[in-house]
PDB file of all heavy atoms in Angstrom:
ATOM      1  N   MET A 292      14.344  -4.056  -1.348  1.00  0.00           N
ATOM      2  CA  MET A 292      14.768  -3.685   0.001  1.00  0.00           C
ATOM      3  C   MET A 292      14.783  -2.176   0.200  1.00  0.00           C
ATOM      4  O   MET A 292      14.588  -1.681   1.322  1.00  0.00           O
ATOM      5  CB  MET A 292      16.163  -4.269   0.276  1.00  0.00           C
ATOM      6  CG  MET A 292      16.774  -3.856   1.609  1.00  0.00           C
ATOM      7  SD  MET A 292      15.806  -4.378   3.050  1.00  0.00           S
ATOM      8  CE  MET A 292      16.384  -6.060   3.253  1.00  0.00           C
ATOM      9  N   GLU A 293      14.983  -1.415  -0.893  1.00  0.00           N
ATOM     10  CA  GLU A 293      15.039   0.039  -0.772  1.00  0.00           C
ATOM     11  C   GLU A 293      13.726   0.607  -0.240  1.00  0.00           C
ATOM     12  O   GLU A 293      13.716   1.616   0.461  1.00  0.00           O
ATOM     13  CB  GLU A 293      15.385   0.674  -2.123  1.00  0.00           C
ATOM     14  CG  GLU A 293      16.821   0.448  -2.566  1.00  0.00           C
ATOM     15  CD  GLU A 293      17.832   0.863  -1.501  1.00  0.00           C
ATOM     16  OE1 GLU A 293      17.738   2.005  -1.016  1.00  0.00           O
ATOM     17  OE2 GLU A 293      18.702   0.051  -1.151  1.00  0.00           O
ATOM     18  N   ILE A 294      12.620  -0.033  -0.594  1.00  0.00           N
ATOM     19  CA  ILE A 294      11.314   0.424  -0.089  1.00  0.00           C
ATOM     20  C   ILE A 294      11.262   0.234   1.420  1.00  0.00           C
ATOM     21  O   ILE A 294      10.818   1.115   2.165  1.00  0.00           O
ATOM     22  CB  ILE A 294      10.169  -0.349  -0.776  1.00  0.00           C
ATOM     23  CG1 ILE A 294      10.204  -0.118  -2.292  1.00  0.00           C
ATOM     24  CG2 ILE A 294       8.813   0.070  -0.212  1.00  0.00           C
ATOM     25  CD1 ILE A 294       9.219  -0.966  -3.064  1.00  0.00           C
ATOM     26  N   THR A 295      11.745  -0.915   1.882  1.00  0.00           N
ATOM     27  CA  THR A 295      11.736  -1.196   3.321  1.00  0.00           C
ATOM     28  C   THR A 295      12.680  -0.260   4.068  1.00  0.00           C
ATOM     29  O   THR A 295      12.392   0.149   5.195  1.00  0.00           O
ATOM     30  CB  THR A 295      12.149  -2.656   3.575  1.00  0.00           C
ATOM     31  OG1 THR A 295      11.505  -3.509   2.627  1.00  0.00           O
ATOM     32  CG2 THR A 295      11.752  -3.101   4.978  1.00  0.00           C
ATOM     33  N   ARG A 296      13.792   0.097   3.434  1.00  0.00           N
ATOM     34  CA  ARG A 296      14.764   0.981   4.085  1.00  0.00           C
ATOM     35  C   ARG A 296      14.181   2.351   4.405  1.00  0.00           C
ATOM     36  O   ARG A 296      14.668   3.048   5.300  1.00  0.00           O
ATOM     37  CB  ARG A 296      16.009   1.141   3.202  1.00  0.00           C
ATOM     38  CG  ARG A 296      16.888  -0.089   3.141  1.00  0.00           C
ATOM     39  CD  ARG A 296      18.189   0.204   2.421  1.00  0.00           C
ATOM     40  NE  ARG A 296      18.876  -1.008   2.064  1.00  0.00           N
ATOM     41  CZ  ARG A 296      19.592  -1.754   2.905  1.00  0.00           C
ATOM     42  NH1 ARG A 296      19.692  -1.375   4.172  1.00  0.00           N
ATOM     43  NH2 ARG A 296      20.188  -2.849   2.497  1.00  0.00           N
ATOM     44  N   LYS A 297      13.137   2.748   3.682  1.00  0.00           N
ATOM     45  CA  LYS A 297      12.503   4.042   3.969  1.00  0.00           C
ATOM     46  C   LYS A 297      11.965   4.080   5.393  1.00  0.00           C
ATOM     47  O   LYS A 297      11.947   5.132   6.034  1.00  0.00           O
ATOM     48  CB  LYS A 297      11.373   4.308   2.967  1.00  0.00           C
ATOM     49  CG  LYS A 297      11.846   4.652   1.569  1.00  0.00           C
ATOM     50  CD  LYS A 297      10.680   5.032   0.674  1.00  0.00           C
ATOM     51  CE  LYS A 297      11.170   5.426  -0.723  1.00  0.00           C
ATOM     52  NZ  LYS A 297      10.057   5.829  -1.601  1.00  0.00           N
ATOM     53  N   TYR A 298      11.527   2.922   5.883  1.00  0.00           N
ATOM     54  CA  TYR A 298      11.036   2.871   7.250  1.00  0.00           C
ATOM     55  C   TYR A 298      12.174   3.113   8.244  1.00  0.00           C
ATOM     56  O   TYR A 298      11.991   3.756   9.271  1.00  0.00           O
ATOM     57  CB  TYR A 298      10.364   1.528   7.534  1.00  0.00           C
ATOM     58  CG  TYR A 298       9.025   1.368   6.855  1.00  0.00           C
ATOM     59  CD1 TYR A 298       8.857   0.492   5.788  1.00  0.00           C
ATOM     60  CD2 TYR A 298       7.926   2.105   7.281  1.00  0.00           C
ATOM     61  CE1 TYR A 298       7.626   0.356   5.166  1.00  0.00           C
ATOM     62  CE2 TYR A 298       6.696   1.971   6.660  1.00  0.00           C
ATOM     63  CZ  TYR A 298       6.552   1.092   5.611  1.00  0.00           C
ATOM     64  OH  TYR A 298       5.333   0.971   4.984  1.00  0.00           O
ATOM     65  N   LEU A 299      13.374   2.590   7.920  1.00  0.00           N
ATOM     66  CA  LEU A 299      14.525   2.835   8.784  1.00  0.00           C
ATOM     67  C   LEU A 299      14.848   4.318   8.832  1.00  0.00           C
ATOM     68  O   LEU A 299      15.154   4.872   9.894  1.00  0.00           O
ATOM     69  CB  LEU A 299      15.739   2.058   8.271  1.00  0.00           C
ATOM     70  CG  LEU A 299      16.011   0.670   8.852  1.00  0.00           C
ATOM     71  CD1 LEU A 299      17.312   0.132   8.294  1.00  0.00           C
ATOM     72  CD2 LEU A 299      16.061   0.704  10.365  1.00  0.00           C
ATOM     73  N   SER A 300      14.769   4.978   7.663  1.00  0.00           N
ATOM     74  CA  SER A 300      15.051   6.412   7.599  1.00  0.00           C
ATOM     75  C   SER A 300      14.021   7.203   8.385  1.00  0.00           C
ATOM     76  O   SER A 300      14.349   8.151   9.100  1.00  0.00           O
ATOM     77  CB  SER A 300      15.073   6.884   6.139  1.00  0.00           C
ATOM     78  OG  SER A 300      16.054   6.204   5.408  1.00  0.00           O
ATOM     79  N   ALA A 301      12.757   6.803   8.258  1.00  0.00           N
ATOM     80  CA  ALA A 301      11.672   7.550   8.907  1.00  0.00           C
ATOM     81  C   ALA A 301      11.620   7.299  10.405  1.00  0.00           C
ATOM     82  O   ALA A 301      11.273   8.198  11.177  1.00  0.00           O
ATOM     83  CB  ALA A 301      10.336   7.179   8.270  1.00  0.00           C
ATOM     84  N   PHE A 302      11.964   6.090  10.819  1.00  0.00           N
ATOM     85  CA  PHE A 302      11.825   5.725  12.230  1.00  0.00           C
ATOM     86  C   PHE A 302      13.175   5.599  12.925  1.00  0.00           C
ATOM     87  O   PHE A 302      13.315   4.902  13.922  1.00  0.00           O
ATOM     88  CB  PHE A 302      11.059   4.396  12.364  1.00  0.00           C
ATOM     89  CG  PHE A 302       9.713   4.397  11.702  1.00  0.00           C
ATOM     90  CD1 PHE A 302       9.238   3.257  11.061  1.00  0.00           C
ATOM     91  CD2 PHE A 302       8.917   5.530  11.704  1.00  0.00           C
ATOM     92  CE1 PHE A 302       7.986   3.256  10.446  1.00  0.00           C
ATOM     93  CE2 PHE A 302       7.672   5.535  11.090  1.00  0.00           C
ATOM     94  CZ  PHE A 302       7.206   4.399  10.463  1.00  0.00           C
ATOM     95  N   GLY A 303      14.169   6.285  12.390  1.00  0.00           N
ATOM     96  CA  GLY A 303      15.511   6.208  12.970  1.00  0.00           C
ATOM     97  C   GLY A 303      15.569   6.655  14.415  1.00  0.00           C
ATOM     98  O   GLY A 303      16.442   6.233  15.179  1.00  0.00           O
ATOM     99  N   HIS A 304      14.596   7.488  14.820  1.00  0.00           N
ATOM    100  CA  HIS A 304      14.600   7.993  16.195  1.00  0.00           C
ATOM    101  C   HIS A 304      14.330   6.901  17.227  1.00  0.00           C
ATOM    102  O   HIS A 304      14.565   7.115  18.424  1.00  0.00           O
ATOM    103  CB  HIS A 304      13.556   9.104  16.350  1.00  0.00           C
ATOM    104  CG  HIS A 304      12.151   8.662  16.079  1.00  0.00           C
ATOM    105  ND1 HIS A 304      11.672   8.460  14.807  1.00  0.00           N
ATOM    106  CD2 HIS A 304      11.135   8.346  16.923  1.00  0.00           C
ATOM    107  CE1 HIS A 304      10.406   8.065  14.877  1.00  0.00           C
ATOM    108  NE2 HIS A 304      10.061   7.994  16.147  1.00  0.00           N
ATOM    109  N   VAL A 305      13.826   5.732  16.792  1.00  0.00           N
ATOM    110  CA  VAL A 305      13.569   4.661  17.768  1.00  0.00           C
ATOM    111  C   VAL A 305      14.798   3.773  17.965  1.00  0.00           C
ATOM    112  O   VAL A 305      14.810   2.924  18.854  1.00  0.00           O
ATOM    113  CB  VAL A 305      12.362   3.779  17.351  1.00  0.00           C
ATOM    114  CG1 VAL A 305      11.130   4.622  17.137  1.00  0.00           C
ATOM    115  CG2 VAL A 305      12.682   2.936  16.122  1.00  0.00           C
ATOM    116  N   LEU A 306      15.846   3.974  17.154  1.00  0.00           N
ATOM    117  CA  LEU A 306      17.020   3.104  17.243  1.00  0.00           C
ATOM    118  C   LEU A 306      17.741   3.205  18.592  1.00  0.00           C
ATOM    119  O   LEU A 306      18.198   2.177  19.115  1.00  0.00           O
ATOM    120  CB  LEU A 306      17.986   3.414  16.093  1.00  0.00           C
ATOM    121  CG  LEU A 306      17.476   3.041  14.697  1.00  0.00           C
ATOM    122  CD1 LEU A 306      18.520   3.377  13.644  1.00  0.00           C
ATOM    123  CD2 LEU A 306      17.119   1.568  14.615  1.00  0.00           C
TER     124      LEU A 306
END
Side-chain angles (χ1 to χ4, degrees):
M292 175 61 84
E293 289 307 308
I294 300 173
T295 317
R296 288 188 194 282
K297 287 186 178 181
Y298 288 109
L299 267 185
S300 300
F302 304 143
H304 61 284
V305 304
L306 292 181

